[in-house]
Amino acid sequence: GNSVTQMEGPVTLSEEAFLTINCTYTATGYPSLFWYVQYPGEGLQLLLKATKADDKGSNKGFEATYRKETTSFHLEKGSVQVSDSAVYFCALSPLRSNDYKLSFGAGTTVTVRA
Amino acid sequence: GAVVSQHPSWVICKSGTSVKIECRSLDFQATTMFWYRQFPKQSLMLMATSNEGSKATYEQGVEKDKFLINHASLTLSTLTVTSAHPEDSSFYICSAPAVGAGDTQYFGPGTRLTVL
């Protein structure tokens, strides 16, 4: 079956520090990969996605590259801000039509201190 | 971008009562919606797939008679927690696939259910 393994948190950083959250997956075929973010008190929002090998998703200074050889989709940001404090979820969706079920990682809580 | 709303945003009820949660796609039609449950500091667990005009598909271990799902229109799915008990207290979240990009989903803000 499909599964996502995500680096456990919590992660606490200082502003302008480099952030990496590791994510690896197990899936049949080539799924689409996502990072979702959940800010305090809000619902999940799509942060970025990649749909095929070597694709790089990017948004708001965050990046993640779809690595088929290592089945990974690590999230990175070079200089975090206090406003990046949130819970980050790695997820995958199987590449089959009409099957859009998402499998989520456990989530990583990130706290950025000023 | 597309918006998914949920109502209510929070609800407190007595044990044994039933609670209905609505999920609406505000500016697009959704033949499929998903219902998740999220425990504190944990990930989202898919409960069921709501299908417009047909029965919902439940994930293994989810009681279909306990969590009733109705998808009566292309913009509305409802989840009814029947005879709620304190262990049903959780954060319930719905999502709907984007039109033309089904692997991207839009999430509702969630409903916090507390059963006393």
Side-chain angles (χ1 to χ4, degrees):
Chain A
N2 300 324
S3 68
V4 177
T5 302
Q6 187 175 340
M7 184 178 86
E8 291 189 19
V11 175
T12 302
L13 302 165
S14 297
E15 215 167 16
E16 299 183 3
F18 184 85
L19 170 67
T20 298
I21 305 176
N22 289 339
C23 172
T24 57
Y25 67 90
T26 302
T28 303
Y30 304 106
S32 294
L33 301 175
F34 306 84
W35 278 99
Y36 281 87
V37 59
Q38 187 176 30
Y39 297 105
E42 299 183 16
L44 270 76
Q45 302 174 26
L46 177 65
L47 180 60
L48 54 85
K49 73 175 188 180
T51 58
K52 61 182 187 296
D54 299 326
D55 264 4
K56 178 185 286 188
S58 60
N59 186 26
K60 298 182 180 180
F62 290 89
E63 292 183 341
T65 302
Y66 190 142
R67 299 288 187 198
K68 182 171 78 75
E69 64 275 15
T70 55
T71 61
S72 65
F73 193 54
H74 305 322
L75 182 68
E76 296 182 338
K77 185 171 184 179
S79 178
V80 294
Q81 305 299 314
V82 173
S83 57
D84 293 324
S85 298
V87 183
Y88 293 83
F89 293 94
C90 186
L92 70 80
S93 177
L95 195 67
R96 294 194 299 273
S97 62
N98 300 319
D99 183 355
Y100 304 130
K101 293 181 182 180
L102 282 171
S103 296
F104 284 91
T108 302
T109 300
V110 174
T111 302
V112 181
R113 300 190 188 281
Chain B
V3 177
V4 174
S5 70
Q6 281 184 241
H7 179 79
S9 56
W10 59 270
V11 57
I12 302 173
C13 70
K14 293 182 179 179
S15 186
T17 60
S18 295
V19 175
K20 180 185 286 186
I21 302 170
E22 295 184 346
C23 176
R24 292 182 185 274
S25 55
L26 295 185
D27 51 1
F28 67 105
Q29 294 181 336
T31 56
T32 300
M33 291 183 176
F34 299 96
W35 286 97
Y36 298 85
R37 186 171 179 177
Q38 184 182 28
F39 290 101
K41 299 185 179 181
Q42 294 188 28
S43 188
L44 283 73
M45 293 185 60
L46 180 65
M47 298 174 65
T49 303
S50 175
N51 304 299
E52 189 269 335
S54 64
K55 292 182 179 180
T57 306
Y58 290 83
E59 296 300 302
Q60 192 173 9
V62 178
E63 299 176 61
K64 62 180 181 181
D65 295 330
K66 172 77 171 176
F67 299 99
L68 300 179
I69 291 173
N70 183 275
H71 196 147
S73 78
L74 288 171
T75 59
L76 174 64
S77 174
T78 60
L79 168 68
T80 301
V81 183
T82 62
S83 186
H85 288 93
E87 58 265 29
D88 298 324
S89 298
S90 190
F91 198 52
Y92 293 88
I93 302 170
C94 70
S95 72
V99 177
D103 62 351
T104 298
Q105 296 202 21
Y106 296 105
F107 284 81
T111 297
R112 172 76 59 193
L113 170 64
T114 302
V115 184
L116 302 177

